[in-house]
Amino acid sequence: MELFAELDIDNFNEEAILESITEAFSKPKVYISFKYTKKRKVIFYHLQVKVAKTTKDLLQGTAVKDSDGSQTFFIGEFSKNTEIEIKFGIIGFTTVPKAVALIAQTNPEIGYQVDPKTPGETKSIDRDEKWEGKFKYKVQ
């Protein structure tokens, strides 16, 4: 994010500063979170976002190992009504009794469970099992 991108450095006042800040913080930010049984080891090996025809690898070719029961990734900052597709891949390094994937957005604040799709349901991941998911999301 670039703050004060629209600020005219040759002609500005306090109102222009406030307008620029409002503009910078008005774009919704989208996140994906994974909650799972604490002290169980997982490896996030795939996380991609596709907008229009452009695909971006959010892990930048690296795997993320985690065991604290929660991991959140910033998907991006988008204009309202932007359609995005998110793909993820996780391996259970150990057996994980319960796991869920959730999406969150700012401005407006929205959050809901995306995998399993039914709120309150969880997924179990066996050792060495891959949990892969793909869903589409329209920015509010």
Side-chain angles (χ1 to χ4, degrees):
M1 171 196 321
E2 186 177 332
L3 291 177
F4 306 110
E6 301 300 317
L7 188 66
D8 179 358
I9 194 71
D10 293 321
N11 182 25
F12 69 96
N13 56 25
E14 190 170 338
E15 183 178 327
I17 293 170
L18 292 175
E19 283 179 18
S20 185
I21 283 286
T22 301
E23 176 75 23
F25 291 121
S26 68
K27 263 192 169 174
K29 293 172 182 59
V30 179
Y31 301 84
I32 187 166
S33 285
F34 299 91
K35 295 288 291 180
Y36 51 94
T37 308
K38 288 183 180 183
K39 298 183 182 176
R40 302 302 174 116
K41 295 178 183 176
V42 296
I43 300 169
F44 297 90
Y45 69 89
H46 181 76
L47 185 56
Q48 268 185 348
V49 62
K50 182 177 179 183
V51 180
K53 295 180 181 180
T54 304
T55 302
K56 183 178 177 183
D57 176 6
L58 296 176
L59 297 179
Q60 299 177 351
T62 63
V64 174
K65 298 175 186 175
D66 194 70
S67 62
D68 71 0
S70 181
Q71 186 69 246
T72 298
F73 298 95
F74 177 61
I75 298 294
E77 188 175 294
F78 304 97
S79 298
K80 291 180 182 179
N81 296 318
T82 300
E83 292 185 8
I84 60 177
E85 181 179 276
I86 299 168
K87 293 181 184 180
F88 66 87
I90 300 167
I91 296 174
F93 192 75
T94 59
T95 298
V96 180
K98 294 181 180 182
V100 296
L102 307 117
I103 189 141
Q105 173 188 316
T106 64
N107 199 21
E109 288 71 29
I110 297 169
Y112 61 90
Q113 186 172 323
V114 291
D115 198 347
K117 293 184 187 213
T118 304
E121 282 188 14
T122 60
K123 172 164 183 53
S124 63
I125 308 169
D126 290 330
R127 185 176 192 272
D128 294 330
E129 179 185 4
K130 290 183 178 180
W131 174 26
E132 296 178 332
K134 173 176 137 178
F135 63 94
K136 292 183 179 181
Y137 179 73
K138 187 173 184 178
V139 179
Q140 309 295 305

